[in-house]
Amino acid sequence: MKKYTYTEKQDTRSGFGDGMTELGRTNPKVVTLCADLVGSLKTATFIKENPERFFQTGIAEANMMGIAAGLTIGGYIPYPTTFANFGSGRVYDQIRQSIAYSNKNVKIAVSHAGLTLGEDGATHQILEDIAMMRSMPNMTVINPCDYNQTKAATIALADHVGPAYLRFGRPKVPIFTDPNQKFEIGKAWTVNEGKDVSIFATGHLVWEAIQAGEILAEKGIDAEIINIHTIKPLDTAAILKSVRKTKCVVTCEEHQANGGLGDAVAQTLAQNFLAPQEYVAVNDSFGESGTPEQLMAKYGLSAEAIVEKTLKVIARKS
Amino acid sequence: MTAKELKDKSIELRRKTLEIIYNAKAGHTGGSLSIMDILNVLYNRIMNVSPENFNDANRDRYIQSKGHSVEALYTVLADRGFFPEEDLMTLCQYQSPYIGHPTKGVNGMEQNTGGLGHGLPICCGNALAAKKDNSGVKVYTVLGDGEMAEGSNWEAMMFAAHYKLDNLCAILDYNKLQITGSNAEVMGLEPVAKKLEAFGWAVKEVDGHDYDALIETFESLPFEEGKPSFVIAHTVKGKGVSFMENNIKWHHGVPSAEQMEMAREELLIKEEV
């Protein structure tokens, strides 16, 4: 098992904010909008340095998505920002018709996705957004795993043409990816090569998968861990290459099992190479209040849960 | 074009719209006849947009928020030379680009619309980008009166006033009818002028079928410096064909062969007058 360590924890949303700061200095066409959550989205530096390229929309997310679509006429690259709940489910029809169907170059950037939003509870803890966004034609869906990767993804999206949904979170989590990484949309990152099981993880679950990999190594299990930061377009070549070798799969995500990364992987396997699969995901349930750690443990989104599912899936290999 | 020329043209535009709906056996007849004169004035007198300058970033923009009245827009765009009129005989057919709501797959169409309450927010974005670029672009949209119940319109109205988008003009196609009944029955809109003014817009009311009045209204844009403009156009659903006027059955109604012949005759008489 390749060793990963960290010296610092940081929130992925700060990766977004610092990515925007860099874009503010390098790309004059990048603009951002926010529905009254500037502090949470960490865009203060971008706004301070480029006040003419920031548009406050007030608490009116539907309108914000339409305005972002309309702003593209000047060649602008709008990043509308809010919480993931309000930037997906609340405005699904605006995104579908005015952004995706109209194929607008809009980068929807949303924070506080999933259970790790914590104390505010179920209303704000969206666990269905990946399913909604990956089912939408033209939409690119990205869920990076740490501060560095989120920053790199934010910057990479400015050079990508077309609608995109960039999902990140609130809590401070380990920084373990390369600060100078080049983010390739749609290209999975092999965290660890192994031969006994393919663990595909996205977002905050990638660090948990690494912890699981270390526990599994002690048990003599050689896990291949792959970070699927881009859920759409899915890197099916990397997925199939890995599963053809390991013959079994565990998918890990801070999202409902229904419609998320796990289902995207299962769809690929069903059509190409059958293999047993286990899901580390939320099982058809809303969230509740608690610290991120308490909630991730309760809903089975932890290194321990990944270990358990891995042992189960290996036993299912014929 | 002069008011007289535009008015003469409107009879032919109405007939063509009915012909394509009749041919397709589908369409939104009442609303298309309701907005025809507004579109005729915008495209043939007011807006700086044409097939020649359609790729020019500085052209004026029209986004039809009430996307369902697309047949009127298709007819006006064809007449303006954006595509051959005979293309419209494929309206709503399998594999035709002329589908039942506006799409950018059609030359001259700025934006995909259909679901209601989307047009005004996008126009706000267009107007904001135009302001940022000092491009002089003016942005126009037509909203349905039933559509005014969509909350996103009122979000956009707050935004447009806050950002002083005086290069934006929204037009209310105020025929007072929607698919289920009158606005008053379905969801009361009055006092609409006061509401729009209270939201920070400069408002003018006009007869939406009076060419002199429409021209004068649009030529006086913006109504007030620093404010977005709202035109309340009092219209008649099904305007121009007596048995279609003010009858909700024609919201989505398609004429029979006999009704089509009656409509042709009525319009022919108007043409001769």
Side-chain angles (χ1 to χ4, degrees):
Chain A
M1 178 72 197
K2 194 173 165 187
K3 194 74 189 156
Y4 286 90
T5 55
Y6 70 92
T7 53
E8 194 191 345
K9 284 188 172 186
Q10 189 57 280
D11 42 6
T12 51
R13 58 184 166 144
S14 286
F16 169 71
D18 291 348
M20 289 301 288
T21 298
E22 186 165 327
L23 284 174
R25 293 167 186 167
T26 57
N27 190 331
K29 286 296 183 185
V30 169
V31 298
T32 187
L33 306 92
C34 192
D36 198 25
L37 287 168
V38 169
S40 298
L41 268 295
K42 303 290 180 187
T43 45
T45 306
F46 179 97
I47 295 167
K48 183 159 177 268
E49 294 182 359
N50 313 278
E52 78 294 350
R53 285 198 272 149
F54 166 67
F55 306 106
Q56 172 64 261
T57 65
I59 306 169
E61 295 85 2
N63 186 41
M64 177 170 72
M65 294 302 170
I67 289 166
L71 272 167
T72 57
I73 64 163
Y76 292 109
I77 307 166
Y79 284 65
T81 66
T82 180
F83 285 175
N85 185 34
F86 311 130
S88 60
R90 184 179 177 88
V91 292
Y92 189 83
D93 188 42
Q94 275 74 22
I95 297 174
R96 179 179 176 273
Q97 178 171 304
S98 296
I99 296 175
Y101 175 48
S102 302
N103 209 9
K104 298 288 188 184
N105 195 24
V106 172
K107 316 303 178 187
I108 300 159
V110 292
S111 184
H112 293 51
L115 291 172
T116 53
L117 169 138
E119 293 77 0
D120 280 355
T123 50
H124 288 47
Q125 289 161 347
I126 192 142
L127 295 162
E128 303 83 32
D129 54 330
I130 292 175
M132 285 187 272
M133 291 301 146
R134 67 174 272 265
S135 66
M136 205 175 312
N138 292 340
M139 186 62 76
T140 291
V141 182
I142 299 174
N143 185 29
C145 66
D146 75 348
Y147 168 91
N148 286 337
Q149 194 177 70
T150 308
K151 183 177 174 185
T154 301
I155 293 164
L157 273 174
D159 291 325
H160 160 270
V161 179
Y165 182 79
L166 177 65
R167 174 196 212 243
F168 40 89
R170 178 185 183 220
K172 287 184 161 53
V173 292
I175 302 178
F176 58 95
T177 70
D178 181 356
N180 302 312
Q181 67 193 278
K182 179 168 164 28
F183 188 88
E184 288 186 72
I185 294 167
K187 185 95 179 124
W189 169 47
T190 301
V191 179
N192 186 61
E193 287 186 23
K195 62 178 178 12
D196 296 331
V197 60
S198 298
I199 299 177
F200 299 127
T202 194
H204 292 144
L205 268 293
V206 178
W207 180 251
E208 297 302 319
I210 291 169
Q211 303 311 296
E214 288 177 4
I215 300 168
L216 289 165
E218 288 167 16
K219 296 178 188 289
I221 292 167
D222 182 15
E224 178 142 294
I225 302 169
I226 296 183
N227 169 212
I228 312 286
H229 50 64
T230 308
I231 291 154
K232 188 183 176 189
L234 192 65
D235 190 347
T236 54
I239 287 167
L240 289 168
K241 185 178 171 213
S242 177
V243 181
R244 285 196 167 105
K245 175 172 62 175
T246 65
K247 310 285 195 292
C248 67
V249 182
V250 176
T251 50
C252 316
E253 60 197 305
E254 189 181 346
H255 187 271
Q256 302 287 356
N258 290 326
L261 169 67
D263 277 3
V265 170
Q267 188 180 24
T268 302
L269 298 178
Q271 292 175 99
N272 295 282
F273 184 83
L274 292 180
Q277 177 179 348
E278 292 291 332
Y279 285 65
V280 172
V282 175
N283 183 20
D284 203 21
S285 167
F286 290 107
E288 61 188 288
S289 282
T291 65
E293 297 75 19
Q294 287 167 333
L295 296 173
M296 296 292 266
K298 171 169 177 178
Y299 289 87
L301 306 183
S302 61
E304 292 71 26
I306 297 170
V307 169
E308 189 189 319
K309 291 290 173 76
T310 300
L311 297 175
K312 189 175 170 193
V313 84
I314 288 174
R316 287 176 59 201
K317 275 205 268 190
S318 49
Chain B
M1 293 177 81
T2 66
K4 170 78 171 60
E5 288 166 334
L6 289 167
K7 193 172 181 190
D8 290 348
K9 180 189 274 297
S10 74
I11 299 166
E12 188 60 10
L13 292 172
R14 284 196 159 82
R15 190 188 60 75
K16 285 175 182 167
T17 292
L18 289 173
E19 296 286 1
I20 63 171
I21 291 172
Y22 173 67
N23 181 69
K25 300 279 175 280
H28 288 80
T29 311
S32 285
L33 295 175
S34 178
I35 66 170
M36 185 58 85
D37 300 311
I38 296 164
L39 295 188
N40 189 12
V41 172
L42 288 177
Y43 274 93
N44 292 308
R45 171 82 183 228
I46 300 297
M47 290 198 302
N48 170 33
V49 64
S50 65
E52 295 72 38
N53 80 350
F54 194 67
N55 291 318
D56 177 354
N58 290 336
R59 68 187 183 279
D60 288 342
R61 302 300 202 284
Y62 172 73
I63 292 173
Q64 188 158 305
S65 193
K66 54 173 301 185
H68 53 280
S69 297
V70 71
E71 292 84 14
L73 181 54
Y74 283 151
T75 304
V76 169
L77 290 175
D79 176 76
R80 194 73 178 79
F82 281 95
F83 47 82
E85 286 182 357
E86 55 267 29
D87 283 11
L88 291 176
M89 296 318 269
T90 67
L91 173 72
C92 291
Q93 288 176 11
Y94 177 57
Q95 292 188 327
S96 169
Y98 304 94
I99 67 175
H101 287 88
T103 71
K104 292 188 294 170
V106 167
N107 192 32
M109 203 64 87
E110 293 286 358
Q111 175 65 36
N112 298 357
T113 56
L116 297 171
H118 289 247
L120 194 55
I122 298 167
C123 287
C124 285
N126 280 185
L128 190 62
K131 283 257 172 201
K132 258 187 81 52
D133 289 342
N134 283 319
S135 65
V137 169
K138 295 193 185 72
V139 183
Y140 300 83
T141 184
V142 169
L143 297 116
D145 45 18
E147 182 186 5
M148 294 297 281
E150 293 280 10
S152 51
N153 286 325
W154 301 89
E155 294 180 7
M157 277 187 254
M158 288 176 73
F159 183 92
H162 183 83
Y163 282 90
K164 302 182 172 28
L165 301 178
D166 58 8
N167 54 345
L168 171 59
C169 173
I171 302 142
L172 178 63
D173 172 30
Y174 200 16
N175 58 40
K176 289 92 181 169
L177 294 177
Q178 55 194 105
I179 193 165
T180 308
S182 69
N183 302 154
E185 288 165 339
V186 177
M187 187 50 62
L189 184 54
E190 284 297 325
V192 65
K194 281 186 184 163
K195 288 176 185 170
L196 301 176
E197 280 163 4
F199 270 69
W201 288 57
V203 180
K204 281 192 182 179
E205 302 200 44
V206 63
D207 176 343
H209 305 300
D210 178 333
Y211 277 88
D212 289 318
L214 282 169
I215 291 168
E216 190 190 329
T217 301
F218 289 127
E219 287 186 346
S220 65
L221 288 168
F223 302 150
E224 211 174 308
E225 288 289 318
K227 279 189 177 184
S229 303
F230 223 117
V231 176
I232 298 175
H234 293 277
T235 52
V236 173
K237 198 157 187 164
K239 174 73 179 177
V241 180
S242 58
F243 61 90
M244 294 179 176
E245 289 186 358
N246 286 316
N247 184 344
I248 58 164
K249 158 183 148 176
W250 289 100
H251 176 88
H252 214 324
V254 174
S256 66
E258 194 184 344
Q259 287 168 327
M260 188 63 218
E261 200 44 49
M262 283 163 61
R264 285 189 193 111
E265 278 171 27
E266 262 198 45
L267 291 167
L268 198 65
I269 292 164
K270 285 192 178 129
E271 212 160 37
E272 283 164 0
V273 172

